[in-house]
């Protein structure tokens, strides 16, 4: 058995913390830089909703995109994006559960939710660049 | 990694020459369905991630692979069902908001079919759903809200698979302090069989008469030092670790496979150390 010193090297549950951290940072950065694409997808649906007054598939699709964002953003180190997305998701979900069509007044919260998301994503991207 | 270095697992050190990789040990139970023909899977615990969000799935896989688990992905309940039917998994990380059959319905289906794979529910509204249930299947081992902290997922998986991997594993705990004996028993669940020995002579006697998967040793004992047991332990080829209150002094001979410092060790860290050591045995 080789002799070893007893000096401590705290690395939590990961065996090689430096390499792990570098890879994790790369993953986080890649995610943040893809956030504007996700926002584009979301704004596309919001605009379509406004044009078509489609309360069926499109609103569900919007809900799915925002739901995923709410689940992943905080885990990727963007808690503000995650929180705004979660609030937006709840609004969309509440409307979907109501079973009613979108009325002109609803576009106000739809656009506000999107605008809040855009600000949060912009800040996340800027803080990463 | 330098072979003279110790690897640290939340306050515990494992000698790198005792481990081929970072994978926790596989249960001694049925693993006939594991892909044993692929050396990459050998000895690793298998986690099924059922998640439709690619971003979260990628992150979960990265974190769990880094902790030494073997990962399979399913993007919906139907795919997960096929994978579970086709191969053995030690635990499943399950999202609730899945396309098609949702996660909760999938859990009910598993329960109805008597499939008791340990499940960790990970969802933006996991706590909310948990609170809304009158009862839940006993194979759900944890509910985690997204966003997920990095260590939270790995710790939850480690604690969740404990009954799977530890059942039948026997630890000889040579320790004369009843508080520390109780502490270890509190940190581990009933899956492990921990047999205390409060003296060198009792430890030696148990080593001669019984089988163990691991020995945890205190140095200072009423009738001598734990070091006196090392020749017996080595002859039996058991992994041996110091389980101490504080950092070992420089005077402690460095002949152990791991040093676990209680004040710095989380339950998950302790468990991972024990799994790694028993795998190396």
């Amino acid at each position: 058995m080789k002799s070893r010193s007893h000096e401590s090297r705290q690395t939590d549950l990961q065996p090689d913390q430096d390499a792990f951290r570098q890879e994790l940072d790369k993953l986080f950065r890649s995610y943040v830089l893809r956030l504007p694409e996700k926002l584009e997808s979301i704004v596309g649906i919001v605009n379509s909703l406004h044009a078509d007054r489609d309360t069926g598939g499109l609103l569900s699709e919007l809900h799915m995109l925002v739901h995923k964002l709410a689940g992943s953003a905080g885990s990727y180190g963007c808690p503000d994006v995650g929180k705004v997305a979660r609030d937006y998701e709840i609004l969309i979900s509440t409307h979907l559960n109501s079973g009613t069509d979108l009325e002109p007044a609803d576009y106000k919260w739809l656009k506000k939710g999107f605008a809040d998301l855009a600000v949060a994503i912009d800040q996340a991207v800027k803080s990463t660049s | 990694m330098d072979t003279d270095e110790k690897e640290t697992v939340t306050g515990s050190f494992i000698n790198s020459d005792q481990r081929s990789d970072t994978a926790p040990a596989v249960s001694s139970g049925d693993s006939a369905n594991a892909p044993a023909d692929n050396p990459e899977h050998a000895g690793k615990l298998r986690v099924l991630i059922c998640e439709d969000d690619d971003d979260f799935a990628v992150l979960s896989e990265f974190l769990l692979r880094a902790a030494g688990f073997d990962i399979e992905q399913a993007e919906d309940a139907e795919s997960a069902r096929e994978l579970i039917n086709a191969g053995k998994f030690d635990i499943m990380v399950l999202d609730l908001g899945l396309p098609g059959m949702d996660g909760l319905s999938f859990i009910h289906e598993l329960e109805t079919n008597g499939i008791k794979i340990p499940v960790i529910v990970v969802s933006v509204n996991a706590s909310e759903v948990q609170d809304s249930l009158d009862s839940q299947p006993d194979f759900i081992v944890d509910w985690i809200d997204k966003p997920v902290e990095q260590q939270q997922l790995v710790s939850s998986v480690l604690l969740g698979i404990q009954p799977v991997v530890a059942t039948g594993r026997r630890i000889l705990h040579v320790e004369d302090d009843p508080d520390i004996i109780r502490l270890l028993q509190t940190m581990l669940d009933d899956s492990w069989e921990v047999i205390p020995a409060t003296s060198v002579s009792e430890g030696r006697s148990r080593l001669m008469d019984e089988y163990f998967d691991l020995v945890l040793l205190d140095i200072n004992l009423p009738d001598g030092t734990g070091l006196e047991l090392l020749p017996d332990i080595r002859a039996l080829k058991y992994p041996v670790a110091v389980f101490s209150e504080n950092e070992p002094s420089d005077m402690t001979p460095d002949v152990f496979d791991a040093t676990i410092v209680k004040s710095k060790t989380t339950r998950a860290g302790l468990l991972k150390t024990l799994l790694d050591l028993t795998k190396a045995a």
Side-chain angles (χ1 to χ4, degrees):
Chain A
M1 181 77 63
K2 291 181 180 177
S3 168
R4 283 166 293 270
S5 70
H6 276 293
E7 63 192 9
S8 170
R9 195 164 59 83
Q10 293 295 321
T11 58
D12 287 340
L13 291 172
Q14 308 305 335
D16 185 343
Q17 193 71 357
D18 288 344
F20 169 79
R21 175 50 63 186
Q22 280 179 10
E23 285 300 310
L24 191 63
D25 286 349
K26 205 186 293 180
L27 211 56
F28 276 28
R29 185 177 166 76
S30 164
Y31 176 84
V32 174
L33 295 179
R34 282 185 288 112
L35 282 174
E37 289 171 33
K38 297 178 191 297
L39 191 65
E40 282 300 308
S41 302
I42 290 168
V43 73
I45 296 176
V46 171
N47 287 338
S48 297
L49 276 168
H50 199 264
D52 302 341
R53 293 178 62 88
D54 178 351
T55 58
L58 278 178
L59 198 59
S60 295
E61 198 179 329
L62 179 66
H63 177 262
M64 185 191 68
L65 288 177
V66 177
H67 169 78
K68 287 181 178 178
L69 197 56
S72 61
S75 305
Y76 275 95
C78 307
D80 292 343
V81 175
K83 186 180 180 313
V84 172
R86 179 67 177 143
D87 291 344
Y88 196 21
E89 181 202 354
I90 291 170
L91 289 174
I92 300 167
S93 176
T94 302
H95 187 84
L96 278 171
N97 291 336
S98 75
T100 59
D101 288 345
L102 281 173
E103 297 297 329
D106 292 318
Y107 296 110
K108 194 173 175 183
W109 63 257
L110 266 173
K111 289 201 166 184
K112 166 103 174 40
F114 164 74
D116 290 345
L117 203 50
V119 169
I121 286 177
D122 185 52
Q123 285 173 348
V125 172
K126 278 180 181 161
S127 67
T128 299
S129 303
Chain B
M1 181 176 289
D2 186 330
T3 54
D4 279 359
E5 279 185 342
K6 289 174 178 178
E7 296 182 17
T8 308
V9 185
T10 315
S12 58
F13 316 102
I14 295 184
N15 294 347
S16 36
D17 55 356
Q18 288 290 319
R19 302 169 51 196
S20 56
D21 55 34
T22 59
V26 160
S27 155
S28 56
D30 173 27
S31 59
N33 294 326
D37 54 334
N38 185 346
E40 195 182 321
H41 297 286
K44 292 187 178 182
L45 284 160
R46 301 188 73 210
V47 181
L48 175 58
I49 299 173
C50 184
E51 169 66 66
D52 69 321
D53 179 2
D54 288 345
D55 291 313
F56 193 81
V58 165
L59 180 61
S60 302
E61 176 162 349
F62 173 79
L63 295 172
L64 292 170
R65 275 198 191 281
F69 294 99
D70 190 28
I71 308 296
E72 288 271 355
Q73 296 268 3
E75 60 184 12
D76 54 32
E78 288 71 22
S79 307
R81 184 191 302 122
E82 282 180 26
L83 285 168
I84 289 171
N85 289 336
K88 175 173 166 48
F89 291 92
D90 296 290
I91 198 163
M92 174 165 60
V93 175
L94 177 66
D95 185 22
L96 291 179
L98 296 168
M101 177 183 276
D102 63 72
L104 209 52
S105 301
F106 187 39
I107 288 168
H108 290 317
E109 179 189 291
L110 292 172
E111 186 179 25
T112 303
N113 294 336
I115 298 171
K116 292 198 167 186
I117 180 173
V119 171
I120 295 170
V121 175
V122 181
S123 180
V124 287
N125 58 345
S127 304
E128 201 178 307
V129 172
Q130 181 187 18
D131 291 345
S132 72
L133 298 176
D134 293 331
S135 64
Q136 64 178 50
D138 58 6
F139 57 79
I140 300 182
V141 294
D142 203 359
W143 297 78
I144 301 177
D145 283 326
K146 292 176 182 173
V148 173
E149 296 290 326
Q150 293 161 33
Q151 297 291 353
Q152 188 182 11
L153 183 62
V154 175
S155 296
S156 179
V157 169
L158 277 165
L159 295 172
I161 47 87
Q162 190 172 199
V164 178
V165 295
T167 298
R169 303 233 173 204
R170 304 185 88 236
I171 298 173
L172 176 61
H173 188 196
V174 185
E175 171 65 66
D176 63 329
D177 184 338
D179 290 333
I180 293 176
I181 292 172
R182 270 196 296 276
L183 176 69
L184 180 69
Q185 289 170 341
T186 304
M187 292 179 84
L188 301 178
D189 73 8
D190 292 339
S191 320
W192 300 85
E193 191 177 351
V194 181
I195 293 91
T198 56
S199 63
V200 173
S201 58
E202 187 185 355
R204 182 171 288 122
S205 170
R206 289 196 179 277
L207 282 168
M208 292 303 106
D209 295 341
E210 302 175 43
Y211 171 82
F212 297 98
D213 296 285
L214 172 69
V215 180
L216 294 180
L217 209 55
D218 184 23
I219 302 295
N220 299 312
L221 294 161
D223 56 346
T225 82
L227 299 172
E228 294 169 44
L229 293 172
L230 278 172
D232 300 285
I233 296 168
R234 287 300 179 206
L236 292 161
K237 299 191 185 306
Y238 293 153
V240 56
V242 172
F243 187 60
S244 68
E245 189 67 51
N246 303 304
E247 301 268 4
S249 75
D250 289 341
M251 299 301 288
T252 304
D254 197 357
V255 290
F256 302 100
D257 301 313
T259 299
I260 304 166
V261 181
K262 292 185 280 285
S263 57
K264 293 185 176 178
T265 304
T266 62
R267 280 188 73 203
L270 171 67
L271 180 59
K272 188 169 193 305
T273 305
L274 299 187
L275 295 177
D276 285 341
L277 286 173
T278 49
K279 176 184 182 246

